[in-house]
Amino acid sequence: MNKVVLIRHGESEWNKLNKFTGWHDAELSQNGKIEAKNAGFLLKKEKFFFNYAHTSMLKRAIYTLQYILKILNQPWIPVKKSWRLNERHYGMLEGFNKNEILQKYGHEQVLLWRRSFHVNPPVIDIKDKRFPGNDVRYANIDTNKLPRGESLEKTIQRVIPYWDQFIYPQLKEKKNILIVAHGNSLRALMKYLNKINDKKIIELEIPTAVPIILEFNEKYIPTKWYYLK
């Protein structure tokens, strides 16, 4: 039986400050580092072994993965990083405290921006420092592909091609795969793989640093998923 393990990064400094983080490269908080290590110990207790790992271009996910692989004593496995696994880009909301945005725009509007499947947050200009095209790490990517503000629907549109091109072929080789990413990029994968409808996916919360185990049958179709606690 093949397994894919999904893990959201440990708590970041901006999670702790209740800010819209998105593509901002926030550090792990001290609690986040502990969470990451605990995820590693959980996987070690269950004797998980991985052939490949995937993560985003953001250090809160990269460092979480590093903590986990160190505890598993598997730091040598191939790791691929991609912007396609980055968190959803929150556009103009990035960097603002969520309570401040609630007070300014009201609960109903903020709920639409945060939880609606189709609705985008207000987008940023390409001259804005928050636009990924102004970050050296994305210099080799067509700026037309980089987001200025995304709904979950748009996040899915960039995550699934990565799954199809890089992860699914490894799964078909009967390899065990670890993906350390973000709340919304992982929700995108969960929606796609488990055929969760547009309304139900809004209800799915991905807790920080709690492994989600996806089991696949011999035809590489997901059969069940559960949290490892």
Side-chain angles (χ1 to χ4, degrees), residues 10 62 122:
I62 294 168

Side-chain angles (χ1 to χ4, degrees), residues 22-24 58 83-92 94 120-135 138 141-159:
W23 284 41
H24 174 75
L58 300 170
W83 66 275
R84 290 185 177 275
L85 294 178
N86 278 15
E87 179 58 290
R88 171 187 173 191
H89 197 296
Y90 279 103
M92 287 294 294
E94 285 201 3
N120 287 337
V123 298
I124 53 174
D125 190 86
I126 61 171
K127 294 179 182 178
D128 193 304
K129 66 180 181 180
R130 293 170 292 181
F131 176 58
N134 298 319
D135 188 324
Y138 308 113
I141 299 163
D142 181 351
T143 55
N144 293 317
K145 293 182 178 179
L146 294 171
R148 298 190 294 129
E150 296 175 298
S151 61
L152 181 58
E153 180 181 32
K154 286 190 175 179
T155 307
I156 287 174
Q157 289 168 5
R158 63 170 161 85
V159 171

Side-chain angles (χ1 to χ4, degrees), residues 2-185:
N2 292 98
K3 293 179 180 178
V4 174
V5 177
L6 311 179
I7 301 180
R8 182 184 174 193
H9 60 82
E11 179 193 66
S12 74
E13 290 288 356
W14 275 28
N15 291 145
K16 191 169 67 173
L17 294 171
N18 199 31
K19 288 186 175 185
F20 287 99
T21 308
W23 284 41
H24 174 75
D25 206 11
E27 297 278 358
L28 286 174
S29 67
Q30 284 303 119
N31 182 57
K33 294 173 185 177
I34 293 168
E35 288 181 333
K37 292 173 185 177
N38 286 341
F41 286 123
L42 271 176
L43 294 168
K44 185 176 182 178
K45 180 182 177 184
E46 298 298 322
K47 296 181 170 57
F48 271 86
F49 173 83
F50 297 100
N51 305 101
Y52 297 102
H54 298 263
T55 190
S56 72
M57 301 285 281
L58 300 170
K59 58 192 171 188
R60 58 191 186 272
I62 294 168
Y63 293 164
T64 296
L65 175 60
Q66 289 175 353
Y67 280 119
I68 291 168
L69 292 181
K70 182 177 181 180
I71 287 166
L72 290 174
N73 195 27
Q74 297 172 32
W76 44 268
I77 71 168
V79 175
K80 183 170 177 59
K81 304 179 183 73
S82 175
W83 66 275
R84 290 185 177 275
L85 294 178
N86 278 15
E87 179 58 290
R88 171 187 173 191
H89 197 296
Y90 279 103
M92 287 294 294
L93 303 181
E94 285 201 3
F96 286 95
N97 181 278
K98 293 174 183 176
N99 290 332
E100 291 175 0
I101 295 295
L102 272 172
Q103 291 173 8
K104 185 173 182 179
Y105 294 101
H107 178 78
E108 188 174 340
Q109 180 61 67
V110 174
L111 189 65
L112 275 176
W113 286 334
R114 291 191 66 193
R115 291 301 182 192
S116 168
F117 181 66
H118 302 287
V119 177
N120 287 337
V123 298
I124 53 174
D125 190 86
I126 61 171
K127 294 179 182 178
D128 193 304
K129 66 180 181 180
R130 293 170 292 181
F131 176 58
N134 298 319
D135 188 324
V136 67
R137 84 190 76 184
Y138 308 113
N140 63 339
I141 299 163
D142 181 351
T143 55
N144 293 317
K145 293 182 178 179
L146 294 171
R148 298 190 294 129
E150 296 175 298
S151 61
L152 181 58
E153 180 181 32
K154 286 190 175 179
T155 307
I156 287 174
Q157 289 168 5
R158 63 170 161 85
V159 171
I160 301 314
Y162 184 82
W163 168 270
D164 290 340
Q165 185 176 354
F166 297 105
I167 304 174
Y168 186 64
Q170 293 173 350
L171 181 65
K172 291 179 73 175
E173 293 174 3
K174 303 187 184 301
K175 304 301 184 184
N176 291 320
I177 301 158
L178 174 60
I179 304 170
V180 179
H182 305 266
N184 284 294
S185 52

